[in-house]
Amino acid sequence: MNSVPLLSLLILIPLFGALAVMFIRRHASELNAPRVAMLTSLMTLTLSVYLWMNLDPSFSGFQFVEKYMWIPAFGSSFHLGIDGISLSFIILTNFLMVVCFAHPFKVHRVREFYIAFLLLQAMLMGVFASLDLVLFYVFFEAVLIPMFLIIGIWGGDRRVYAAFKFFLYTLAGSVLMLIAFVVMYFESGTTNMVELMYSNFAPYTQKILWLALFVSFAVKVPMWPVHTWLPDAHVEAPTLGSMILAGILLKLGGYGMLRLSIPLLPDASYYFAPLVYLLSLIAIVYTSFVALAQKDMKKLVAYSSIAHMGFVTLGLFTFHPQGMVGGMTQMISHGLTSAALFFCVGVVYERFHTKEIAKYGGLVEKMPRYAVFFMIFTLASIGLPGTSGFLGEFFALLGSFAVSPTIAGIAVLGVIIGAAYALWLYRRVVYEKLNPALDPKGLFDIKGSEVVVMMALAVPVFVIGLYPQPLFNIISPATQNILKTYEGKRKTSDMIFNGLFDIKPLAKKGMK
């Protein structure tokens, strides 16, 4: 245990920031609330970078551990700890919060807006640092509240419908997760996630628990067919809400699978792996075709997020070192590129007040800097070599090929369709003739904070794409530890509809 509770501070700093914003006088809130929120997020980001600098990369277990008695009757404790996987998401979350606060979009109820985001940041820190099932569930569910308010208060015309749809979908899935946690407690006598890694549940019990967790995490990812809440939520959410929703909240499902489903329920994870492959491939291919048919820019990017997250679940359930690292890298990359694309959409929406693709065209004539950044993020989204998007998809495909060439071949089809809809969107918005219906007052290039935000997002996209080793040094030991736990506990060798993909024996060689 540490003398300084660094992980508790990660949670407390945004909470104190929200409290400080609450006491800002309303007439001064438009100027001071963004400043306090930015300062708070910079402090949290600085602390997370400090954790990164002091993380021992040779140690694959949890570090900076804190443990305080919380609910003695159930043996639950306020138990925090991080490994490379947790820290990657913590840094990504805090970085995106700083980026979001760097450009002040015009909103009403400014104080409440930034309070909601700071509360969301605190809850996300709790999710990624929790090492107790009850604590994890509390933070996991608490994330819903500020995001529900962000969509429902500051969203578009159909914001109430989208907010309730988002809330009900995710809450319904989480009820099953709570039931699974209760069963785990009565079966093992503990809610400690570290101790549960050494527990062995019966194969039949594992399958029931795995399905309950899978529904909850699949809604968060979201996987087909429980994905329908996402396009509505993205279309109606304000720009900053869409950036955090796509950049961070969609990763909670993948994180839950990596942290709970695979290491705690290895037999069931192996048994249901072909089901995950099937649903992932449907998400990759089907939602890519759906994206091609969209007329709304935000909805197109939303469907592209579902397709890209399909590579995440595909890579994680290959149980292959390259595949799992690919799934993790894809989550980090998608967090950057999807947030950037939603920001690009938000910039032109703020000028022209429309998200319809047909109403744009020829922006390169008046907004060349915008066109360059939009091109960078579009190419990163489709996985151009040299960008972070390429690494995630490449390693996920590499891992899936080791399992089944058929799976990899179908997934590659999604890459091709993804390039089609992304480049089609870019051509329609940026090239062709300048649409005379566009408001001339909005036809000015990005400047100031808009350039800062886009530069801040573009730099890590290229850094990870060209020199990924620092990221791999963080996540590889943690993924290897999960694989070691998984392989050490798995006993059964049966697999549901194995013959569908002609699955090979899974390789166990580590990354070099």
Side-chain angles (χ1 to χ4, degrees), residues 110-441:
V110 177
R111 283 190 311 178
E112 292 82 356
F113 183 75
Y114 286 100
I115 287 172
F117 273 95
L118 290 172
L119 291 176
L120 180 62
Q121 185 177 14
M123 297 306 105
L124 288 169
M125 294 298 98
V127 171
F128 296 130
S130 295
L131 290 180
D132 183 272
L133 292 181
V134 178
L135 190 64
F136 178 87
Y137 182 80
V138 168
F139 282 121
F140 195 86
E141 288 303 289
V143 166
L144 295 179
I145 300 171
M147 183 52 69
F148 172 77
L149 295 175
I150 289 167
I151 298 172
I153 297 175
W154 294 279
D157 295 337
R158 299 174 69 245
R159 58 186 179 273
V160 175
Y161 166 78
F164 273 96
K165 190 174 182 179
F166 158 74
F167 190 87
L168 292 174
Y169 261 74
T170 50
L171 182 63
S174 297
V175 169
L176 294 175
M177 179 170 68
L178 178 60
I179 295 172
F181 286 173
V182 171
V183 173
M184 285 183 180
Y185 169 73
F186 282 107
E187 286 284 326
S188 63
T190 182
T191 58
N192 188 312
M193 290 161 61
V194 179
E195 293 177 8
L196 284 168
M197 289 184 182
Y198 300 97
S199 300
N200 288 301
F201 300 104
Y204 178 77
T205 304
Q206 282 197 38
K207 291 173 184 176
I208 300 299
L209 293 173
W210 189 93
L211 286 172
L213 293 179
F214 179 71
V215 172
S216 177
F217 297 143
V219 171
K220 280 283 196 219
V221 169
M223 296 182 72
W224 183 91
V226 289
H227 66 287
T228 56
W229 64 268
L230 182 65
D232 291 314
H234 271 312
V235 169
E236 300 305 324
T239 299
L240 300 189
S242 291
M243 291 174 68
I244 297 301
L245 180 60
I248 304 299
L249 263 67
L250 300 192
K251 312 305 176 288
L252 296 182
Y255 177 77
M257 293 175 182
L258 199 55
R259 179 64 70 218
L260 296 174
S261 299
I262 294 174
L264 302 189
L265 309 168
D267 290 328
S269 296
Y270 184 82
Y271 178 80
F272 286 112
L275 174 64
V276 178
Y277 302 153
L278 179 62
L279 297 180
S280 299
L281 292 176
I282 293 174
I284 291 170
V285 177
Y286 168 71
T287 56
S288 295
F289 277 118
V290 174
L292 268 174
Q294 297 308 308
K295 300 178 181 179
D296 183 292
M297 282 195 289
K298 262 195 165 185
K299 193 166 280 191
L300 187 150
V301 179
Y303 277 108
S304 76
S305 293
I306 300 169
H308 284 110
M309 291 302 292
F311 283 99
V312 171
T313 51
L314 183 64
L316 295 182
F317 279 85
T318 59
F319 311 117
H320 189 279
Q322 281 84 357
M324 295 187 77
V325 168
M328 264 297 302
T329 307
Q330 177 72 349
M331 282 195 276
I332 301 298
S333 172
H334 181 262
L336 297 168
T337 56
S338 62
L341 287 172
F342 278 115
F343 183 78
C344 289
V345 174
V347 165
V348 292
Y349 179 76
E350 194 175 31
R351 285 164 166 76
F352 307 112
H353 307 292
T354 180
K355 299 186 288 289
E356 273 192 64
I357 299 171
K359 293 185 178 180
Y360 287 92
L363 292 186
V364 68
E365 296 182 23
K366 301 293 183 179
M367 304 173 67
R369 287 195 296 270
Y370 173 83
V372 169
F373 280 110
F374 194 9
M375 178 188 66
I376 290 172
F377 300 129
T378 299
L379 294 178
S381 176
I382 65 179
L384 182 76
T387 65
S388 58
F390 170 75
L391 287 171
E393 290 184 356
F394 176 74
F395 280 109
L397 289 171
L398 194 65
S400 62
F401 186 85
V403 173
S404 168
T406 304
I407 294 174
I410 298 173
V412 167
L413 181 61
V415 177
I416 298 170
I417 305 168
Y421 66 67
L423 295 176
W424 175 82
L425 171 66
Y426 186 80
R427 180 181 65 83
R428 289 291 303 272
V429 173
V430 175
Y431 290 115
E432 299 187 346
K433 292 183 179 180
L434 182 66
N435 190 338
L438 291 173
D439 185 356
K441 295 180 181 179

